[in-house]
């Protein structure tokens, strides 16, 4: 492919909410990546997270931070705590009791920072862990965490069409471990996504094929290195260090991958996207 035929991948400014892993640990196992018997280096996690935050700042994005709380070792995974579209905030309700208290810290942050439409779900809802905004529709995962009834609740609360997808592989327990949006839909172009087909039920796979015939399909190796947990601003794409194959394929399509070491956070089953809650005004 010649460079001149590549579409321009134009970044759009983003606003992210993050939470430093000051109290990060793996003290319980609520997904197959977590093994509490293995050592975790909190300082290293903090350094990896800081590199991620600093990359966003270098790209020119705005980053706000929620103060981390002792006793909530997974709070670094901010993506699980709200879905924000058009300034409307739908908070979270966690499946695991160990994480339940995180939701209120984030709710309070939104209220204290002037967001007036803040709704809390009545159904289990792990927010952007299981919801991905394409610019036109909200893709919604279920199967392991978010209750399928939370999808309808999100549609009502946020006023956007929701498309439900079913996850079937416990290693890819949140939608954001199996799919991410490279570029939102515009008036002239459909949304661009990356996904790992094998993480979805047969029916959901067919839905994804229909909706995104030009998707970048992740391989088993891409998915196993948490490559589907990328964060894109439409041009820059942050990926885990090991996702080199996916990075090459995205570069061929005109994106600019940035590979970051998130090995410490992956011990909890997290990656770049899990640490990043997007605030869409
Ligand atoms: N240990 C956390 C959990 O199992 C990891 C969450 C990762 N976040 C995400 N958006 N996938 O809930």
């Amino acid at each position: 492919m010649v460079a001149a035929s590549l579409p321009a991948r134009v970044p759009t400014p983003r606003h992210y909410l993050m939470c430093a892993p000051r109290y990060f640990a793996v003290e319980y196992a609520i997904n197959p990546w977590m093994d509490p018997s293995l050592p975790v280096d909190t300082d290293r996690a903090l350094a990896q997270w800081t590199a991620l935050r600093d990359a966003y700042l270098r790209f020119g994005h705005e980053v706000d931070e929620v103060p981390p709380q002792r006793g909530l070792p997974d709070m670094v995974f901010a993506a699980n705590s709200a879905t924000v579209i058009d300034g409307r905030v739908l908070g979270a309700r966690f499946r695991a009791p160990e994480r339940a208290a995180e939701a209120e810290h984030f709710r309070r942050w939104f209220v204290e920072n002037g967001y007036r439409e803040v709704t809390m779900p009545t159904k289990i809802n792990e927010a952007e862990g299981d919801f991905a905004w394409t610019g036109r529709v909200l893709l919604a995962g279920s199967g392991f965490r978010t209750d399928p009834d939370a999808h309808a609740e999100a549609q009502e609360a946020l006023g956007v069409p929701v498309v439900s997808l079913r996850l079937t592989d416990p290693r890819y327990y949140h939608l954001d471990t199996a799919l991410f949006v490279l570029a939102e839909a515009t008036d002239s172009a459909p949304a661009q996504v990356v996904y790992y087909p094998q993480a979805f039920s047969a029916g959901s796979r067919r839905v994804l094929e229909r909706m995104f015939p030009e998707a970048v399909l992740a391989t088993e190796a891409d998915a196993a290195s948490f490559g589907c947990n990328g964060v894109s601003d439409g041009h820059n794409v942050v990926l885990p260090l090991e996702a080199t194959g996916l990075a090459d394929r995205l570069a061929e399509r005109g994106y600019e991958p940035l590979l970051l070491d998130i090995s410490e956070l992956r011990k909890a089953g997290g990656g770049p996207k899990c640490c990043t809650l997007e605030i869409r005004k």
Side-chain angles (χ1 to χ4, degrees), residues 10-233:
V10 185
T12 53
R14 307 290 169 131
H15 182 185
Y16 295 132
L17 184 58
M18 300 179 75
C19 179
R22 194 145 303 129
Y23 306 106
F24 178 67
V26 177
E27 293 167 351
Y28 46 79
I30 54 172
N31 69 57
W33 304 79
M34 301 176 87
D35 180 351
S37 72
L38 294 179
V40 168
D41 184 335
T42 306
D43 289 337
R44 195 149 175 257
L46 196 55
Q48 293 174 352
W49 177 90
T50 303
L52 175 65
R53 184 201 57 194
D54 291 352
Y56 294 147
L57 295 173
R58 267 200 320 280
F59 297 156
H61 303 319
E62 184 179 349
V63 178
D64 276 315
E65 292 181 34
V66 171
Q69 304 293 322
R70 194 184 298 278
L72 294 175
D74 271 335
M75 199 173 165
V76 58
F77 302 118
N80 296 129
S81 280
T83 307
V84 187
I85 299 172
D86 273 345
R88 284 192 190 86
V89 182
L90 177 60
R93 180 179 284 261
F94 285 88
R95 185 165 292 279
E98 293 92 334
R99 295 197 65 186
E102 295 177 37
E104 173 58 17
H105 291 288
F106 281 85
R107 188 198 67 82
R108 199 177 311 139
W109 185 91
F110 282 105
V111 169
E112 285 172 358
N113 284 273
Y115 292 79
R116 273 178 303 162
E117 252 185 85
V118 181
T119 324
M120 294 306 278
T122 66
K123 306 290 179 185
I124 301 294
N125 179 324
E126 298 202 355
E128 285 202 320
D130 275 319
F131 289 105
W133 177 240
T134 68
R136 292 287 182 276
V137 300
L138 188 62
L139 302 177
S142 70
F144 298 98
R145 299 292 182 86
T146 297
D147 186 326
D149 288 345
H151 298 177
E153 200 174 33
Q155 174 160 298
E156 282 304 310
L158 297 170
V160 295
V162 171
V163 172
S164 291
L165 300 167
R166 197 146 56 78
L167 297 161
T168 53
D169 180 335
R171 284 174 306 164
Y172 307 110
Y173 58 93
H174 273 143
L175 181 65
D176 75 356
T177 65
L179 177 149
F180 74 99
V181 177
L182 284 165
E184 289 179 9
T186 63
D187 290 339
S188 54
Q192 306 294 317
V193 302
V194 173
Y195 70 92
Y196 177 52
Q198 286 74 15
F200 295 90
S201 68
S204 295
R205 239 179 267 179
R206 287 201 297 274
V207 170
L208 289 167
E209 282 163 19
R210 268 175 199 277
M211 290 184 77
F212 308 108
E214 291 176 5
V216 177
L217 299 185
T219 64
E220 156 127 60
D222 296 332
S225 62
F226 244 72
C228 295
N229 201 245
V231 179
S232 174
D233 64 12

